[in-house]
Amino acid sequence: QQQVKQSPQSLIVQKGGISIINCAYENTAFDYFPWYQQFPGKGPALLIAIRPDVSEKKEGRFTISFNKSAKQFSLHIMDSQPGDSATYFCAARWGNTPLVFGKGTRLSVIA
Amino acid sequence: ETGVTQSPTHLIKTRGQQVTLRCSSQSGHNTVSWYQQALGQGPQFIFQYYREEENGRGNFPPRFSGLQFPNYSSELNVNALELDDSALYLCASSLALAGYNEQFFGPGTRLTVL
């Protein structure tokens, strides 16, 4: 049972454009929703995270939008740059339970 | 402050062999989690260690086992290797505080089983 569904699988965006990655979850007990960025040959690195008491969190060019009623959350990357080209994973967890990851989105930002 | 380190970086084994992977947690962290990341997939939770005790396990068979040492470093052992065990094995450390334990990942060990 996949508890976190991520889409799209891959994404190509022009430099300066907006990258949008979506995730949907099933477990209403989840209370922590992080996004990880992974470059080839590296481990995932925490990018930004949100808790369900807020609907949006912004850090620099990265924004998480959270819709509790729809059980969905998304990552927006504004002014996308070639250096943002990586694989992005959404994840979810409740309490101190292990992270449940989506399958990932491979983002390519082209000049 | 040093981050999470893992060794070795790459490893090639044959089916049926045994392997030990190592992880040093970030300074001050007392919890280590291990994940398996197959090619093109998200990380899958294997198990977690807190203060040298297994504290949660994912859907992996008993031939996957682990240890945590007094300095909070950890080992992942896999016996009777199968071809499907080929993956990137990730270690993540965290400081277990009530309601908040952000995980920091190491670079991983790439295991290839032939």
Side-chain angles (χ1 to χ4, degrees):
Chain A
Q1 179 188 13
Q2 184 184 355
Q3 297 190 55
V4 179
K5 294 184 179 180
Q6 184 172 347
S7 63
Q9 188 174 6
S10 62
L11 183 61
I12 299 174
V13 173
Q14 292 278 348
K15 179 182 175 182
I18 302 173
S19 304
I20 302 174
I21 305 171
N22 301 300
C23 280
Y25 62 96
E26 299 168 7
N27 188 344
T28 55
F30 286 148
D31 63 1
Y32 177 68
F33 302 89
W35 284 90
Y36 284 84
Q37 180 188 57
Q38 186 176 29
F39 292 104
K42 303 289 186 182
L46 179 66
L47 194 60
I48 186 173
I50 198 169
R51 296 187 183 272
D53 53 343
V54 297
S55 60
E56 185 175 283
K57 182 175 181 179
K58 183 176 180 179
E59 290 184 1
R61 296 185 295 110
F62 302 93
T63 300
I64 297 180
S65 297
F66 184 80
N67 187 329
K68 189 173 182 178
S69 61
K71 292 187 288 185
Q72 294 176 347
F73 59 110
S74 61
L75 175 69
H76 292 62
I77 306 174
M78 312 299 288
D79 187 27
S80 298
Q81 299 296 312
D84 297 330
S85 298
T87 300
Y88 293 81
F89 293 95
C90 62
R93 185 189 75 206
W94 62 269
N96 287 326
T97 59
L99 289 166
V100 177
F101 284 85
K103 290 191 174 183
T105 296
R106 179 172 290 183
L107 171 65
S108 297
V109 181
I110 57 175
Chain B
E1 178 182 278
T2 57
V4 180
T5 60
Q6 293 185 242
S7 63
T9 305
H10 298 88
L11 202 53
I12 298 175
K13 292 285 188 178
T14 56
R15 197 169 44 181
Q17 286 189 310
Q18 178 266 342
V19 69
T20 298
L21 310 181
R22 295 178 175 81
C23 170
S24 291
S25 59
Q26 184 164 315
S27 177
H29 285 184
N30 57 11
T31 302
V32 172
S33 303
W34 285 92
Y35 293 81
Q36 180 195 67
Q37 186 177 17
L39 199 62
Q41 300 293 315
Q44 295 287 319
F45 174 71
I46 303 175
F47 44 57
Q48 180 181 80
Y49 278 82
Y50 171 65
R51 292 186 175 179
E52 303 177 57
E53 296 285 333
E54 187 177 294
N55 181 35
R57 188 178 184 93
N59 189 25
F60 281 81
R63 58 190 186 84
F64 285 78
S65 63
L67 284 173
Q68 186 179 32
F69 300 99
N71 66 353
Y72 302 128
S73 65
S74 178
E75 286 183 355
L76 165 64
N77 299 288
V78 187
N79 294 320
L81 284 167
E82 300 178 0
L83 298 179
D84 285 349
D85 295 334
S86 295
L88 180 68
Y89 288 85
L90 296 162
C91 164
S93 76
S94 58
L95 177 61
L97 295 173
Y100 184 72
N101 64 341
E102 181 179 326
Q103 295 191 345
F104 294 85
F105 284 83
T109 294
R110 173 71 63 186
L111 172 64
T112 302
V113 182
L114 301 176

